[in-house]
Amino acid sequence: KKKIIIDCDPGYDDAVALLLAAGNPNVEVLGITTIAGNQTLEKVTRNALRIAKLAHLDHVSVAAGSARPLLRDQVVVAANIHGESGLDGCTLPEADYTVDQRNAAQFIIDTVMREPPQTVTLVPIGPLTNIALAVRMEPRIVERVKEVVLMGGGCHIGNIKPMAEFNIENDPEAAHIVFEEKWPIVMIGLDLTYQALATAEVKNEIAAIDTDAARFLTQVLARFSETYKRSKGFDEPPVHDPCAVAYVIDPTMMQVRKAPVHVEYRGLYTNGMTVVDLRKPAPEDCHTSVALKLDHKRFWDMIIAAVKNL
Ligand SMILES: Nc1ccc([C@@H]2N[C@H](CO)[C@@H](O)[C@H]2O)cc1
Ligand SMILES: [Ca+2]
């Protein structure tokens, strides 16, 4: 089994990532850590606990992380997409357990240093503040972590800004720290996740599944579709975050290419941009890769199988 720690800001698509991780038999979730992003830390943490309960992950620790970016003094949330609660319009059980007493960075360090080397994959699907804090507190996790597979960035493509993706732009200094460490990073950016569209066919297949998880997923996709249509004019929403979990489960589902990536954190128009160098073959020692092509059918079949399982 692939052992992962998911760092998230639930959020509709974060919820789908958690359902996939919970329902797929080849993944063991060692922990869920939360970060302010789509909504405030308090709201995303409450959502994470409730999703864990629904997904039968309530044996897994949830550790809350940073309430703000490293340097910026205000949290920019995405209420236009995820609503005031971060999961507007979705029915979830109340969680009957509370957060781990450690903060996310400490939880990540303890877990990575406890498990055998090269066995834990970090799966950040929100702003990278907790990951940056963890690596500054305990630099040894860099050579101990198997891989960092993150949803964020893009190749000269943006959403929250013309050239910047939300997770990176939310805390560019943290992202810079994470990308400059020499651990293997697979960047699942917008180039890839814009292919992960929740089509009507996919929604119909999910609507026919008689599990609580599937019913929750139907609500999530309905609301995500509505807000993406209203605020971005998309007919079908790109379900970003489960793409990172799907890669961990089955890397052959995507075409990935080694390429240098550096984060702009002093840009005027490009702050938070992941500057990906695709001009020539990457140097041998390049530690970063970017995902470019998704097998759409295999992706959604994997998610559908997962919610059938729950
Ligand atoms: N408009 C919008 C803003 C933020 C996100 C969140 N940030 C990432 C996509 O930019 C995902 O992790 C998702 O949870 C999605 C849509
Ligand atoms: Ca997210």
Side-chain angles (χ1 to χ4, degrees):
K1 281 197 181 196
K2 307 278 181 75
K3 293 190 283 186
I4 68 173
I5 299 171
I6 299 180
D7 187 72
C8 57
D9 57 336
Y12 292 130
D13 55 330
D14 302 72
V16 185
L18 289 167
L19 291 179
L20 174 57
N24 186 280
N26 304 316
V27 163
E28 179 186 357
V29 181
L30 297 181
I32 298 168
T33 53
T34 58
I35 178 68
N38 285 323
Q39 260 301 346
T40 62
L41 179 69
E42 182 199 0
K43 291 178 178 178
V44 301
T45 303
R46 177 169 176 265
N47 291 338
L49 286 163
R50 298 173 73 196
I51 297 164
K53 172 90 177 138
L54 172 80
H56 312 301
L57 282 178
D58 42 349
H59 58 287
V60 173
S61 295
V62 173
S66 187
R68 312 176 17 193
L70 293 180
L71 293 186
R72 293 188 177 181
D73 52 13
Q74 89 288 348
V75 177
V76 175
V77 299
N80 61 320
I81 293 285
H82 303 275
E84 269 319 298
S85 71
L87 278 175
D88 278 13
C90 298
T91 313
L92 275 169
E94 269 314 319
D96 45 23
Y97 76 120
T98 185
V99 288
D100 192 290
Q101 81 277 12
R102 291 164 292 178
N103 72 44
Q106 191 60 58
F107 178 87
I108 291 166
I109 291 163
D110 292 352
T111 306
V112 170
M113 299 312 286
R114 176 197 72 213
E115 296 292 322
Q118 304 300 313
T119 61
V120 179
T121 298
L122 299 186
V123 185
I125 55 176
L128 291 168
T129 318
N130 294 334
I131 314 303
L133 289 168
V135 84
R136 282 289 185 267
M137 281 164 61
E138 180 46 86
R140 288 180 299 171
I141 65 171
V142 171
E143 85 260 355
R144 199 172 178 97
V145 157
K146 180 179 180 186
E147 198 169 40
V148 178
V149 180
L150 63 89
M151 192 280 135
C155 301
H156 321 145
I157 180 175
N159 56 6
I160 191 81
K161 294 280 173 44
M163 279 292 155
E165 178 279 327
F166 181 91
N167 290 347
I168 307 297
E169 196 274 341
N170 216 274
D171 193 343
E173 290 81 8
H176 169 75
I177 288 171
V178 171
F179 273 88
E180 294 307 315
E181 292 297 334
K182 297 290 179 272
W183 42 13
I185 298 175
V186 179
M187 183 183 98
I188 313 284
L190 295 174
D191 314 85
L192 192 283
T193 66
Y194 275 161
Q195 299 169 53
L197 300 179
T199 60
E201 185 188 356
V202 159
K203 289 178 194 167
N204 291 338
E205 216 176 320
I206 292 164
I209 303 167
D210 182 22
T211 64
D212 287 346
R215 278 184 282 277
F216 170 66
L217 180 53
T218 293
Q219 289 181 313
V220 164
L221 294 180
R223 295 300 294 242
F224 205 39
S225 302
E226 189 188 298
T227 57
Y228 242 101
K229 174 74 178 160
R230 178 165 26 87
S231 67
K232 310 247 172 172
F234 283 46
D235 288 333
E236 297 166 332
V239 189
H240 309 278
D241 290 336
C243 296
V245 175
Y247 177 85
V248 175
I249 295 167
D250 178 5
T252 69
M253 188 183 297
M254 297 173 194
Q255 271 173 32
V256 167
R257 172 177 167 178
K258 248 188 180 190
V261 181
H262 298 287
V263 175
E264 177 59 72
Y265 63 96
R266 298 186 297 196
L268 182 57
Y269 301 108
T270 58
N271 212 40
M273 176 176 183
T274 48
V275 182
V276 181
D277 188 351
L278 296 170
R279 291 172 300 165
K280 56 192 182 307
E284 248 324 287
D285 63 349
C286 180
H287 69 283
T288 51
S289 301
V290 297
L292 296 171
K293 181 110 183 61
L294 172 70
D295 183 326
H296 183 272
K297 176 154 179 29
R298 281 172 63 190
F299 172 70
W300 283 108
D301 285 350
M302 186 189 268
I303 290 177
I304 286 161
V307 292
K308 279 179 180 168
N309 237 358
L310 287 174

